Amino acid sequence: MAFAIRAIHHRLPRSLHHSNPLSTSASSHDLRELLRIQRILSDPAATTQPPQTQQRPRAAATADLHQLLHRAAGLSTAEATSLLHRIPNTHRLEHLLQELRGLRLPADEIKNALGSDPDGLLSMEPGEPSRLVELLDELRCRAAIKDQVLSHGVLSAAIATRRRVELLHERGLSRRDALRVISVEPRAILYSLEDVERKVEFLVGRMGFEIGWLVEYPEFLGINLDRSIIPRHNVVEYLASVGGLGDPIEMKHYVRFSRLRFYNLFVKPYPECERIFGGLVRERKDEVRRRHPVGLWKLFKPTKYESTEENVRDMKLVVESLH
């Protein structure tokens, strides 16, 4: 800035440098401009120190953000100051807190999310928390699964959902399809992010399916990989090596066939596959189940009371009074 002003100062006409302010040879506007430039050049602090009018809005914005953190997340002044030192983008934080406050989420949930996973929370785009919270509220699954998903709060579940959506998006799914997969199979939220990534790698790298198959078979992410998927794939690989497969294997054989059905179709005709599959699967025979366990009838046997002469006499008095 100073170099530019000095350049302007040197380019001015020489008559202006030595002109008399009362002289009529220079206009009053040129004189005022010259005096202003000379005053700036003579005061270097004016070019380096920002004016107080620029510092006040920043201080006011920080104070407003402290108040917002206190109202939305219940943070103290010390906690808010420590958090702001670790978060560079305070503008995004301000908009995010206003949106979360509009959702009427408990302050404890917001505080826990800011303390445990601030990067995951701040990575959300405007409007994304509202959409994720709405999706989690409308989950169509068993009540036990939904309770487990929301056990740490709806905001924590929203952050976990977004991380899994971003993981599937990095692997090739669109965000819309990834969100649809998670909404249909919320058990993927219960598995760790490493487990979900391991399933995707096994699906694409080992089984040879494309990532797009998850849109049609989202339950793949909710099945235990070690106990269900890997034993079935080991059997399929063995049968393919010995020419025992007639029709091509589809995703439904891995995720929608029961253990017994898969056993009868692929393992039972080949006894050597029982060890690969993990043992024999026995069918349950239709048996007439007893209503109560053996010996439980003794608990329902009425208690036997001893009769005394006094009880007999009282009963006779009652019978005679009826006549």
Side-chain angles (χ1 to χ4, degrees):
M1 181 68 182
F3 292 108
I5 294 174
R6 291 191 181 93
I8 296 175
H9 185 268
H10 288 296
R11 285 198 301 267
L12 289 174
R14 181 167 301 184
S15 60
L16 291 179
H17 288 285
H18 305 284
S19 62
N20 187 0
L22 300 177
S23 175
T24 57
S25 61
S27 65
S28 60
H29 175 73
D30 294 336
L31 292 175
R32 285 195 300 267
E33 186 67 18
L34 176 61
L35 292 175
R36 187 181 69 83
I37 294 174
Q38 289 179 345
R39 185 171 59 252
I40 293 175
L41 292 176
S42 62
D43 187 10
T47 61
T48 58
Q49 184 178 1
Q52 295 181 357
T53 56
Q54 294 180 0
Q55 293 180 352
R56 288 178 182 176
R58 182 179 301 176
T62 304
D64 293 342
L65 191 55
H66 273 77
Q67 293 181 359
L68 186 59
L69 284 169
H70 176 70
R71 294 174 182 174
L75 296 183
S76 63
T77 304
E79 292 173 338
T81 304
S82 176
L83 178 66
L84 293 179
H85 283 316
R86 293 184 286 113
I87 296 177
N89 193 347
T90 57
H91 183 69
R92 178 186 286 267
L93 176 62
E94 181 179 0
H95 287 280
L96 183 64
L97 289 174
Q98 291 175 354
E99 181 176 355
L100 295 178
R101 193 180 179 193
L103 294 174
R104 301 184 182 276
L105 295 178
D108 293 338
E109 289 190 19
I110 302 177
K111 182 177 181 180
N112 294 334
L114 289 173
S116 60
D117 193 2
D119 295 334
L121 184 61
L122 293 175
S123 63
M124 294 186 181
E125 299 294 334
E128 196 169 7
S130 302
R131 293 192 296 270
L132 291 174
V133 169
E134 182 180 0
L135 179 142
L136 293 170
D137 288 338
E138 298 177 355
L139 283 180
R140 296 180 180 180
C141 60
R142 290 182 295 172
I145 296 178
K146 187 172 183 179
D147 292 341
Q148 292 181 13
V149 170
L150 303 178
S151 60
H152 298 290
V154 65
L155 184 57
S156 176
I159 297 174
T161 301
R162 189 187 186 279
R163 288 194 176 277
R164 283 146 184 79
V165 168
E166 291 300 317
L167 172 63
L168 296 177
H169 176 66
E170 292 175 359
R171 296 293 178 149
L173 282 183
S174 64
R175 287 188 173 90
R176 182 184 297 272
D177 288 340
L179 196 61
R180 186 184 309 168
V181 169
I182 301 298
S183 64
V184 175
E185 186 48 75
R187 289 181 296 177
I189 306 175
L190 302 178
Y191 285 96
S192 65
L193 198 64
E194 292 75 15
D195 288 339
V196 176
E197 185 175 9
R198 181 167 167 254
K199 289 179 180 180
V200 174
E201 290 178 354
F202 190 86
L203 174 70
V204 177
R206 181 82 178 274
M207 299 173 63
F209 289 97
E210 295 181 357
I211 189 69
W213 281 99
L214 289 178
V215 179
E216 186 175 354
Y217 298 94
E219 56 265 38
F220 179 84
L221 296 180
I223 298 177
N224 190 286
L225 183 65
D226 295 320
R227 290 185 297 181
S228 181
I229 301 299
I230 292 180
R232 298 188 184 197
H233 185 67
N234 290 338
V235 171
V236 170
E237 281 188 332
Y238 173 78
L239 294 179
S241 64
V242 298
L245 290 178
D247 298 329
I249 298 297
E250 301 178 7
M251 276 285 292
K252 64 179 181 180
H253 297 115
Y254 291 97
V255 299
R256 294 185 180 173
F257 276 30
S258 65
R259 178 176 171 83
L260 179 59
R261 186 178 180 185
F262 186 90
Y263 174 85
N264 290 334
L265 188 61
F266 296 101
V267 181
K268 192 174 182 179
Y270 308 94
E272 65 273 14
C273 291
E274 289 185 2
R275 182 183 56 83
I276 302 174
F277 188 63
L280 180 65
V281 179
R282 300 184 182 276
E283 298 182 7
R284 294 182 178 179
K285 297 181 180 179
D286 296 333
E287 298 180 355
V288 178
R289 299 185 59 185
R290 297 178 182 270
R291 181 174 297 181
H292 302 294
V294 178
L296 191 60
W297 62 272
K298 295 181 179 180
L299 299 178
F300 296 98
K301 186 177 181 180
T303 306
K304 185 177 182 180
Y305 296 97
E306 296 181 359
S307 59
T308 60
E309 294 181 359
E310 185 179 358
N311 292 336
V312 174
R313 186 170 59 252
D314 293 340
M315 289 298 297
K316 289 181 178 180
L317 293 175
V318 172
V319 172
E320 290 177 357
S321 64
L322 295 177
H323 294 290

